[in-house]
Amino acid sequence: QVQPVESGGGSVESGGSLRLTCTVPDDAPCTYDMSWYRQGLKKEREFIAKIFTDGTTHYGDVGKGRFTISRDTAVNTMSLQMDDLKPEDTAMYYCKTDNSYSDARYQIICNALDQWGQGTLVTVSS
């Protein structure tokens, strides 16, 4: 299975920062809108932010004002800069991809990528 891969999680103290990265294996010419979600214990996955292929962004309420999403426009890679982390931010953070490549000839290939990565764990202590 081909999945996006998250990295950058770890343990930090309250008020600290982490930068998460999601990388999609080389699958040119496919492009993806990419999103960050998180899931804590016994909770549904919460939407954090989405960044489209053209670089435009959409933020949810999770981490509002503290989290910043970005991407490398040359490759299917995105980051989540998390500042002023709080204990309630402790969760597994997941990358989600949505095929945005418009050429019908490549839809089977581009849609073959699993939408979800396996996550990277963020633990914030008080």
Side-chain angles (χ1 to χ4, degrees):
Q1 296 181 2
V2 179
Q3 298 176 291
V5 179
E6 304 93 337
S7 62
S11 298
V12 298
E13 295 182 349
S14 181
S17 298
L18 284 173
R19 186 176 182 87
L20 308 183
T21 298
C22 175
T23 300
V24 174
D26 185 13
D27 59 347
C30 304
T31 59
Y32 302 93
D33 300 330
M34 304 174 76
S35 304
W36 285 104
Y37 289 73
R38 72 182 186 189
Q39 185 172 14
L41 183 63
K42 301 294 185 180
K43 291 183 177 293
E44 297 181 354
R45 291 188 182 183
E46 301 174 291
F47 171 74
I48 299 172
K50 182 175 184 177
I51 186 163
F52 295 84
T53 307
D54 64 2
T56 59
T57 59
H58 171 68
Y59 288 88
D61 293 329
V62 176
K64 187 83 170 183
R66 298 183 294 117
F67 296 176
T68 304
I69 193 169
S70 62
R71 73 182 297 156
D72 186 332
T73 57
V75 296
N76 290 316
T77 300
M78 71 164 177
S79 296
L80 184 70
Q81 178 66 41
M82 305 188 295
D83 297 318
D84 191 24
L85 285 163
K86 305 176 184 298
E88 52 263 41
D89 295 320
T90 296
M92 188 73 73
Y93 284 72
Y94 294 92
C95 173
K96 181 190 178 186
T97 61
D98 294 284
N99 176 28
S100 64
Y101 198 63
S102 60
D103 194 329
R105 295 173 294 179
Y106 295 93
Q107 292 309 291
I108 294 176
I109 294 174
C110 296
N111 285 324
L113 177 72
D114 286 352
Q115 284 190 297
W116 296 97
Q118 294 191 16
T120 185
L121 181 64
V122 171
T123 302
V124 184
S125 62
S126 60

